[in-house]
Structures are given as C-alpha cells and as structure tokens.
Amino acid sequence: MANIDQLRGGQPIPAARSNQTKAGSTSSDAPTTAAASSPRVNNDAVSLSAQGKAVGQIHQQLAAEPSFDSAKVAEIKQAIADGSYKVDADKLASNMTKFEDELRGI
C-alpha cells in the first residue's frame, strides 16, 4: 500500500499552511508561517471503525492472491497447442450477451 509521500510524488508536505495576509498589506509582505511563530503541539488523531479495518484486511488478502488460476491457464494453453480445445458456441454467445447487458446498465 502506498504511503502519503508516494501519493504526492515525493513532494514534501509543509508542516503548516501560511496565514492569509492581513487587510491593507501588500503582496511584497512575507506571509507568516507556523514555523516562524512559537512551536505548536499537533494533537490530530485518526481512528478507523471496525468496518474500515475489515475492508483494509480484505484488500490486503486480495492483493496477495494471484489474479488468475495459472494451472487452468496452462491447461488451456496445452489443449490449444495439441488441438483438443473445443469452444462451446452456445456458452460463448450467452456470456457475450450477458456482458453486453451488463455494459448497458453502466
């Protein structure tokens, strides 16, 4: 899973946002930042619900599993190579129709 630095393309995250300039100040005035003022304690916290944690665990499990059955792929490749692979035209047509119906629903 990507951490926040990877999501931002490696750009550093500023510690604090600069304050907006006061009314009547010119653009040449330097904005005041939290780094220039006294140090502040950051008490921000994040907690996930049980459902959020469960979704995270499911995501990790799915990411660890292969996306296809390599044994079945090898079996089909062998059947194609030796000429024994047969296409069930009715099943193929049914699946194509089902797929088209699903696309219409999007």
Side-chain angles (χ1 to χ4, degrees), residues 13-37:
I13 300 172
R17 294 182 184 177
S18 63
N19 295 332
Q20 293 180 351
T21 58
K22 296 178 184 175
S25 65
T26 63
S27 62
S28 64
D29 293 340
T32 305
T33 62
S37 64

Side-chain angles (χ1 to χ4, degrees), residues 80 84-93:
I80 292 171
S84 64
Y85 185 76
K86 301 288 187 235
V87 176
D88 183 351
D90 291 333
K91 184 176 178 181
L92 177 61

Side-chain angles (χ1 to χ4, degrees), residues 46-57:
V46 175
S47 62
L48 296 177
S49 67
Q51 293 170 331
K53 290 176 185 176
V55 168
Q57 289 175 345

Side-chain angles (χ1 to χ4, degrees), residues 2 4-5 9 12 20-22 25 35 47 67-68 72 75 94:
I4 191 71
D5 291 331
Q20 293 180 351
T21 58
K22 296 178 184 175
S25 65
S47 62
S67 60
F68 62 93
K72 186 170 184 174
E75 181 183 327
S94 173

